[in-house]
Amino acid sequence: MARTAPDCLFCKIVAGEVPAEMVREGERTVAIRDINPQAPTHVLMVPRDHYPDAGAVGRADLGLMDEIAREAHEVAVVEGIAESGYRLVFNTGAGAGQTVFHVHGHLLGGRGLEWPPG
Ligand code: 5GP
Ligand code: ZN
């Protein structure tokens, strides 16, 4: 049984109840284009199962983080940003800017990415 949470936007996107531009569909993850892109490539790596944040995934299903990273790299290759460089970030907690509490990695690339980030 898939883990879902009521009234979760990304659970609804995974279920096809809310439309999104699907970039890649894996067995345990989907990749969707961010509705408000912060870079030429801005794709959200979203596990099908609901976990509120990266900390919760790490405690429950470490392999899922590996899978998100692997899928993100596949998307980066297809998007043409694997060689120029990309960033995969998980905002974890409201204080770090998390607004959707269904874990997702932001895959960003296609422009210079300053470090440290703002
Ligand atoms: P967070 O702030 O939680 O790290 O990231 C949430 C991301 O989800 C934001 O970058 C925001 O633009 C994106 N987002 C919010 N609502 C939607 C939506 O309905 N569809 C898509 N594709 N992205 C969304
Ligand atoms: Zn969810």
Side-chain angles (χ1 to χ4, degrees), residues 33-99:
R33 219 166 284 285
D34 197 290
I35 207 168
N36 181 24
Q38 302 301 312
T41 292
H42 187 173
V43 172
L44 301 174
M45 307 305 306
V46 182
R48 293 182 185 275
D49 277 343
H50 179 96
Y51 293 100
D53 61 29
V57 178
R59 284 191 297 276
D61 189 347
L62 258 185
L64 184 54
M65 293 302 276
D66 293 349
E67 199 156 330
I68 293 169
R70 193 195 62 211
E71 286 290 305
H73 187 76
E74 294 301 322
V75 173
V77 169
V78 172
E79 293 280 314
I81 58 169
E83 287 192 11
S84 55
Y86 63 84
R87 188 168 292 162
L88 179 62
V89 287
F90 294 83
N91 296 331
T92 305
Q98 187 176 3
T99 58

Side-chain angles (χ1 to χ4, degrees), residues 4-5 8 12 17 21 24 30-31 34 48 50 68 70 74 83 91 96-97 102 107 109 114:
T4 60
C8 170
K12 288 180 181 166
E17 293 165 8
E21 188 185 338
R24 183 176 170 92
V30 300
D34 197 290
R48 293 182 185 275
H50 179 96
I68 293 169
R70 193 195 62 211
E74 294 301 322
E83 287 192 11
N91 296 331
H102 177 132
L107 172 66
E114 65 281 2

Side-chain angles (χ1 to χ4, degrees), residues 20-32:
E21 188 185 338
M22 206 58 80
V23 176
R24 183 176 170 92
E25 292 189 67
E27 201 178 309
R28 301 186 70 200
T29 65
V30 300
I32 61 172

